[in-house]
Coordinates of all heavy atoms in Angstrom, one line a residue:
S1 N 33.4 35.1 -8.3 CA 34.5 34.2 -8.1 C 34.5 33.7 -6.7 O 33.7 34.1 -5.8 CB 35.8 35.0 -8.3 OG 36.0 36.0 -7.3
G2 N 35.4 32.8 -6.3 CA 35.5 32.1 -5.0 C 36.1 33.0 -4.0 O 36.0 32.7 -2.8
V3 N 36.8 34.1 -4.3 CA 37.5 35.0 -3.4 C 36.5 36.0 -2.9 O 35.9 36.8 -3.7 CB 38.7 35.7 -4.0 CG1 39.3 36.7 -3.0 CG2 39.7 34.7 -4.5
L4 N 36.3 36.1 -1.6 CA 35.4 37.1 -1.0 C 36.1 38.3 -0.6 O 37.2 38.2 0.0 CB 34.6 36.5 0.1 CG 33.7 35.3 -0.2 CD1 33.1 34.8 1.1 CD2 32.5 35.8 -1.0
M5 N 35.7 39.5 -0.9 CA 36.3 40.7 -0.5 C 35.7 41.1 0.9 O 34.5 41.0 1.1 CB 36.0 41.8 -1.5 CG 36.6 41.6 -2.9 SD 38.3 41.8 -3.0 CE 38.4 43.5 -2.7
S6 N 36.6 41.5 1.8 CA 36.1 41.9 3.1 C 35.5 43.3 3.0 O 35.9 44.0 2.1 CB 37.2 41.7 4.1 OG 38.2 42.6 3.8
D7 N 34.7 43.6 3.9 CA 34.2 44.9 4.0 C 35.3 45.9 4.3 O 36.0 45.7 5.3 CB 33.1 44.9 5.1 CG 32.4 46.3 5.3 OD1 32.5 47.1 4.3 OD2 31.7 46.5 6.3
P8 N 35.4 47.0 3.6 CA 36.6 47.9 3.8 C 36.5 48.6 5.1 O 37.5 49.1 5.6 CB 36.5 48.9 2.6 CG 35.2 48.7 2.0 CD 34.7 47.4 2.5
V9 N 35.4 48.7 5.8 CA 35.2 49.4 7.0 C 35.6 48.5 8.2 O 36.0 48.9 9.3 CB 33.8 50.0 7.2 CG1 33.7 50.7 8.5 CG2 33.5 50.9 6.0
T10 N 35.5 47.2 8.1 CA 35.8 46.3 9.1 C 37.3 46.2 9.3 O 38.1 46.1 8.4 CB 35.3 44.8 8.7 OG1 34.0 44.9 8.4 CG2 35.6 43.9 9.8
P11 N 37.8 46.4 10.6 CA 39.2 46.4 10.8 C 39.9 45.1 10.4 O 39.3 44.0 10.6 CB 39.3 46.5 12.4 CG 38.0 47.1 12.8 CD 37.0 46.6 11.8
Q12 N 41.0 45.2 9.7 CA 41.7 44.0 9.3 C 43.0 43.9 10.1 O 43.5 44.9 10.6 CB 42.0 44.2 7.8 CG 40.8 44.4 6.9 CD 40.0 43.1 6.9 OE1 40.5 42.0 6.7 NE2 38.7 43.3 7.0
P13 N 43.5 42.7 10.2 CA 44.7 42.5 11.0 C 45.9 43.4 10.5 O 46.7 43.9 11.4 CB 45.1 41.0 10.8 CG 43.8 40.4 10.4 CD 43.0 41.5 9.7
W14 N 46.1 43.7 9.2 CA 47.2 44.5 8.8 C 46.9 46.0 9.2 O 47.9 46.7 9.4 CB 47.4 44.4 7.3 CG 46.3 44.8 6.4 CD1 45.2 44.2 6.0 CD2 46.1 46.2 5.9 NE1 44.4 44.9 5.2 CE2 45.0 46.2 5.1 CE3 46.9 47.3 5.9 CZ2 44.5 47.4 4.4 CZ3 46.5 48.5 5.3 CH2 45.3 48.5 4.5
W15 N 45.7 46.4 9.3 CA 45.4 47.7 9.8 C 45.9 47.9 11.2 O 46.5 48.9 11.6 CB 43.9 48.0 9.8 CG 43.2 48.2 8.5 CD1 43.7 48.0 7.3 CD2 41.9 48.8 8.3 NE1 42.8 48.3 6.3 CE2 41.7 48.8 6.9 CE3 40.9 49.2 9.2 CZ2 40.5 49.2 6.4 CZ3 39.7 49.6 8.6 CH2 39.5 49.7 7.2
V16 N 45.6 46.9 12.0 CA 46.0 46.9 13.4 C 47.6 47.0 13.5 O 48.1 47.7 14.3 CB 45.5 45.7 14.2 CG1 46.0 45.6 15.6 CG2 44.0 45.7 14.2
A17 N 48.2 46.2 12.6 CA 49.7 46.2 12.6 C 50.3 47.5 12.2 O 51.2 48.1 12.8 CB 50.2 45.1 11.7
V18 N 49.7 48.1 11.2 CA 50.2 49.5 10.7 C 49.9 50.5 11.8 O 50.7 51.3 12.1 CB 49.5 49.8 9.4 CG1 49.7 51.3 9.0 CG2 50.0 48.9 8.3
L19 N 48.7 50.5 12.3 CA 48.3 51.5 13.4 C 49.3 51.3 14.6 O 49.8 52.3 15.2 CB 46.8 51.3 13.8 CG 46.4 52.3 14.9 CD1 46.4 53.7 14.3 CD2 44.9 51.9 15.3
G20 N 49.5 50.1 15.0 CA 50.4 49.8 16.1 C 51.8 50.3 15.9 O 52.4 50.9 16.7
A21 N 52.3 50.0 14.7 CA 53.6 50.4 14.3 C 53.7 52.0 14.3 O 54.7 52.6 14.8 CB 54.0 49.9 13.0
G22 N 52.7 52.6 13.8 CA 52.6 54.1 13.7 C 52.6 54.7 15.1 O 53.3 55.6 15.5
L23 N 51.8 54.1 16.1 CA 51.7 54.6 17.4 C 53.1 54.4 18.1 O 53.5 55.2 18.9 CB 50.6 53.9 18.2 CG 49.2 54.3 17.7 CD1 48.2 53.5 18.5 CD2 49.0 55.8 18.0
M24 N 53.7 53.2 17.9 CA 55.0 52.9 18.5 C 56.0 53.9 18.0 O 56.9 54.4 18.8 CB 55.4 51.5 18.3 CG 54.6 50.5 19.1 SD 54.6 50.7 20.8 CE 56.3 50.3 21.2
T25 N 56.0 54.3 16.7 CA 57.0 55.2 16.2 C 56.8 56.6 16.8 O 57.7 57.3 17.2 CB 56.8 55.3 14.6 OG1 57.0 54.0 14.1 CG2 57.7 56.3 14.0
V26 N 55.5 57.0 16.9 CA 55.2 58.3 17.5 C 55.6 58.3 19.0 O 56.3 59.2 19.4 CB 53.7 58.6 17.4 CG1 53.3 59.8 18.3 CG2 53.3 58.9 16.0
R27 N 55.4 57.2 19.7 CA 55.8 57.1 21.1 C 57.3 57.2 21.2 O 57.8 57.8 22.1 CB 55.3 55.8 21.7 CG 55.6 55.6 23.1 CD 55.0 54.4 23.7 NE 55.5 54.2 25.1 CZ 55.7 53.1 25.7 NH1 55.5 51.9 25.0 NH2 56.1 53.0 26.9
W28 N 58.0 56.5 20.3 CA 59.5 56.5 20.3 C 60.0 57.9 20.0 O 60.9 58.4 20.7 CB 60.0 55.5 19.3 CG 61.5 55.5 19.2 CD1 62.4 54.9 20.0 CD2 62.3 56.2 18.3 NE1 63.7 55.2 19.7 CE2 63.6 56.0 18.5 CE3 62.0 57.1 17.2 CZ2 64.7 56.5 17.8 CZ3 63.0 57.6 16.5 CH2 64.4 57.3 16.8
L29 N 59.4 58.6 19.1 CA 59.8 60.0 18.7 C 59.6 60.9 19.9 O 60.4 61.8 20.2 CB 59.1 60.5 17.5 CG 59.5 59.8 16.2 CD1 58.6 60.3 15.0 CD2 61.0 60.2 15.8
I30 N 58.5 60.8 20.6 CA 58.2 61.6 21.7 C 59.2 61.4 22.8 O 59.7 62.3 23.4 CB 56.7 61.4 22.2 CG1 55.7 62.0 21.2 CG2 56.5 62.0 23.6 CD1 54.3 61.6 21.5
G31 N 59.5 60.1 23.1 CA 60.5 59.8 24.1 C 61.8 60.3 23.7 O 62.6 60.8 24.6
F32 N 62.2 60.1 22.5 CA 63.5 60.6 22.0 C 63.6 62.1 22.2 O 64.6 62.7 22.6 CB 63.7 60.2 20.5 CG 65.0 60.7 20.0 CD1 66.2 60.1 20.3 CD2 65.1 61.7 19.1 CE1 67.4 60.5 19.8 CE2 66.3 62.2 18.5 CZ 67.4 61.5 18.9
G33 N 62.5 62.8 21.8 CA 62.5 64.3 21.9 C 62.6 64.7 23.4 O 63.2 65.7 23.7
G34 N 61.9 64.0 24.2 CA 61.9 64.3 25.7 C 63.3 64.1 26.2 O 63.7 64.9 27.0

């Protein structure tokens, strides 16, 4: 077909967004606990 699947190991923009959101959540929780 005409849709190309990207390599699953290659970082995708949504991975970066999810990772960034996760790190910000962890940072916020640490700050809140502190």
Side-chain angles (χ1 to χ4, degrees):
S1 69
V3 177
L4 294 174
M5 297 287 291
S6 63
D7 183 14
V9 181
T10 306
Q12 300 297 313
W14 66 271
W15 286 14
V16 174
V18 169
L19 182 63
L23 290 175
M24 289 303 291
T25 302
V26 168
R27 182 176 176 215
W28 178 80
L29 287 172
I30 290 170
F32 180 75

